[in-house]
Amino acid sequence: MENANNKKGSFKGLLPLVIFLVVYFAMGIGTGDFGNFPLMIGIFLASAISLFMNSPVAEKKTFTEKVVMFCKGGGDDTLILMVIIYMLAGAFYGVASGMHATDTVTNIGISILPANMILPGLFLIGCVLSFSMGTSMGTVAALMPIAINIADKTGVGVALVSGIVVGGAMFGDNLSFISDTTIAAVKTQGCEMKDKFKANFFIVLPAAIITVLIFWFVTRNMNFHLEENLSYSLWEVLPYMVVLLGALIGINVFVVLISGIVISLIVGVSMGHIALSEMFQVVGNGVTSMYDITVISIIVACIVSLVKEHGGIQFILNLIKSKINGRRGAEFGIALLALFVDACTANNTVAIVMTGPIAKEISEEFDVDPRRSASLLDMFTSVGQGIIPYGAQLLSAATLTGLTPLQIIPNLYYPLLMGVCGVLAIIFRPQSKKLQ
């Protein structure tokens, strides 16, 4: 049972997370590369602090008792479910990539685009590709060479097409059913993927439409022809369609992902993209790609259990209560918290894992619908990740194009519009009926 004194809250209880954020951010800015300070090291640092510290508002416990509480935090059933879904999503992405489904989605889009729709079409392809793959980084890597080709042949700036690709990548990173951000958001807030998708989609739809109109206006008189042979097979998009339709219908996520993996293997082997002897290796590589975020998620949950015991989460709740009133204020609190932590970690999935439990407490305290809190977490971490110059997406785009992130930022119409739509949705959108 939670100690009653924890109702007082204590900033000291937040020290493990605060010190982690400060050290990680300082090391990233100081070295110019956030990869120079591995997230895992920072997480272990925060773990040590949480185990050795005591809080004035919590009953003093022995080190052994704190270790037991720490471990129990990592054994939460919702967390374990999230970890398994991470693994299945990674396996699906690994197999789908191995069967060249990424090339198929891109080639279909480029083949059917009229010349005056090449830029909005590139954005839409990025949206579809990232939504199908569940990864913004994979989308940037796959589309950027094509975007550079388009820029060379049309005369539009490379910075503009780079902004288009990154924007499309963040669309799917935010909404995809197999995105690790979506998985983390819905599992920490306790809602279904399809419900979060519906709530989230209608908030960001105006941003996507406005972005398409902007790019259409730029290319309305353009004449463009891509000479490369763009071959594709509709069979290669079948796994994506199965996963998408299954998730929208509401079929259990385990069934959906396992079906997608099996169908991807059948199609990949039958079409010769995956050798029969290599199919389990492809699955294993996909699962392995999710190891880091899986371990980080578990250890962060362990840390948060002690942060809560030390009154850290209650401190945030009390601070929010003193500054805001009602559900809309709480929603702004969740959005700002998510945006701030993403800016500090430069990783939207880690930001959601860290802020998810706090957002859950806020949503319960202020009667915020879990679909809403999950959407806000995913949206505003995606906004942050899409515009921070030291984020992996912009750094990858800059590396592939030879530009600097600061040259690309003015062309990031979609992430910026997504943030605007998120703010307007909090201010003006009627509150949805809360799930029981």
Side-chain angles (χ1 to χ4, degrees):
M1 185 173 180
E2 184 179 331
N3 192 312
N5 292 332
N6 280 5
K7 292 296 181 182
K8 297 178 183 179
S10 171
F11 176 76
K12 187 177 179 181
L14 289 172
L15 283 180
L17 298 180
V18 171
I19 292 175
F20 162 72
L21 292 176
V22 170
V23 172
Y24 185 75
F25 187 76
M27 289 292 292
I29 294 297
T31 63
D33 183 359
F34 277 72
N36 287 334
F37 185 65
L39 271 171
M40 202 68 71
I41 301 300
I43 295 298
F44 284 140
L45 172 64
S47 299
I49 294 170
S50 68
L51 286 169
F52 283 99
M53 67 173 283
N54 288 301
S55 169
V57 301
E59 180 182 343
K60 189 171 183 179
K61 296 183 181 297
T62 66
F63 183 79
T64 301
E65 289 174 327
K66 285 185 281 189
V67 169
V68 171
M69 185 175 293
F70 182 87
C71 294
K72 285 183 177 179
D76 179 76
D77 55 351
T78 301
L79 173 67
I80 299 303
L81 181 65
M82 181 171 73
V83 165
I84 295 173
I85 296 173
Y86 277 152
M87 298 293 189
L88 289 174
F92 175 75
Y93 170 66
V95 179
S97 298
M99 58 175 277
H100 304 306
T102 301
D103 296 335
T104 294
V105 173
T106 303
N107 291 349
I108 290 175
I110 294 293
S111 298
I112 64 177
L113 287 174
N116 62 352
M117 283 291 290
I118 193 65
L119 291 193
L122 182 64
F123 171 72
L124 291 174
I125 292 171
C127 293
V128 173
L129 194 57
S130 58
F131 186 80
S132 303
M133 297 169 64
T135 167
S136 53
M137 290 298 293
T139 301
V140 171
L143 270 189
M144 197 58 73
I146 294 174
I148 294 172
N149 190 2
I150 290 173
D152 290 341
K153 293 191 174 183
T154 60
V156 301
V158 176
L160 176 59
V161 295
S162 299
I164 293 172
V165 170
V166 173
M170 298 316 300
F171 176 91
D173 204 351
N174 170 219
L175 290 174
S176 174
F177 289 101
I178 60 172
S179 168
D180 44 7
T181 61
T182 295
I183 296 168
V186 299
K187 292 307 172 186
T188 57
Q189 302 310 295
C191 63
E192 296 295 327
M193 288 189 181
K194 63 182 180 66
D195 294 324
K196 179 264 182 188
F197 170 79
K198 292 173 184 176
N200 201 160
F201 178 75
F202 288 108
I203 295 175
V204 302
L205 180 60
I209 292 174
I210 294 172
T211 301
V212 168
L213 291 176
I214 291 172
F215 295 143
W216 170 81
F217 183 80
V218 172
T219 58
R220 65 192 186 281
N221 297 320
M222 186 171 290
N223 185 21
F224 171 77
H225 177 67
L226 195 65
E227 297 175 355
E228 286 81 355
N229 180 29
L230 301 175
S231 60
Y232 58 85
S233 170
L234 294 178
W235 285 107
E236 292 170 351
V237 300
L238 179 61
Y240 289 145
M241 297 304 299
V242 169
V243 170
L244 172 59
L245 293 176
L248 286 174
I249 292 170
I251 298 175
N252 183 279
V253 64
F254 286 97
V255 176
V256 170
L257 288 174
I258 291 172
S259 299
I261 294 168
V262 172
I263 294 172
S264 297
L265 285 172
I266 293 172
V267 174
V269 171
S270 63
M271 298 191 69
H273 295 313
I274 301 174
L276 188 62
S277 60
E278 296 177 353
M279 62 179 188
F280 294 116
Q281 182 180 350
V282 172
V283 173
N285 290 339
V287 172
T288 303
S289 70
M290 302 299 284
Y291 278 0
D292 281 356
I293 190 58
T294 295
V295 174
I296 288 172
S297 297
I298 293 173
I299 298 179
V300 166
C302 296
I303 297 170
V304 169
S305 67
L306 288 180
V307 168
K308 186 175 182 179
E309 172 66 19
H310 293 320
I313 292 179
Q314 190 62 45
F315 175 83
I316 294 178
L317 292 175
N318 293 343
L319 180 64
I320 290 176
K321 283 182 183 179
S322 67
K323 302 296 183 182
I324 61 177
N325 292 309
R327 282 185 287 179
R328 284 187 172 84
E331 290 177 1
F332 271 119
I334 292 172
L336 289 173
L337 183 64
L339 189 62
F340 170 74
V341 175
D342 180 76
C344 291
T345 61
N347 187 309
N348 48 344
T349 305
V350 172
I352 292 173
V353 170
M354 293 184 70
T355 58
I358 301 173
K360 179 66 172 174
E361 296 280 349
I362 295 173
S363 64
E364 291 177 349
E365 181 76 22
F366 292 92
D367 200 33
V368 176
D369 192 313
R371 296 169 295 187
R372 188 80 155 174
S373 58
S375 298
L376 292 172
L377 280 174
D378 209 344
M379 265 192 301
F380 282 92
T381 54
S382 293
V383 169
Q385 195 64 27
I387 61 177
I388 54 176
Y390 49 87
Q393 288 76 6
L394 273 178
L395 289 175
S396 177
T399 300
L400 291 169
T401 58
L403 301 173
T404 66
L406 294 179
Q407 289 175 296
I408 300 174
I409 287 176
N411 300 289
L412 295 171
Y413 296 106
Y414 178 72
L416 294 171
L417 287 169
M418 179 166 55
V420 172
C421 287
V423 170
L424 293 178
I426 295 174
I427 297 173
F428 296 110
R429 187 167 177 261
Q431 298 293 324
S432 57
K433 184 178 180 181
K434 196 172 189 299
L435 287 174
Q436 297 301 317

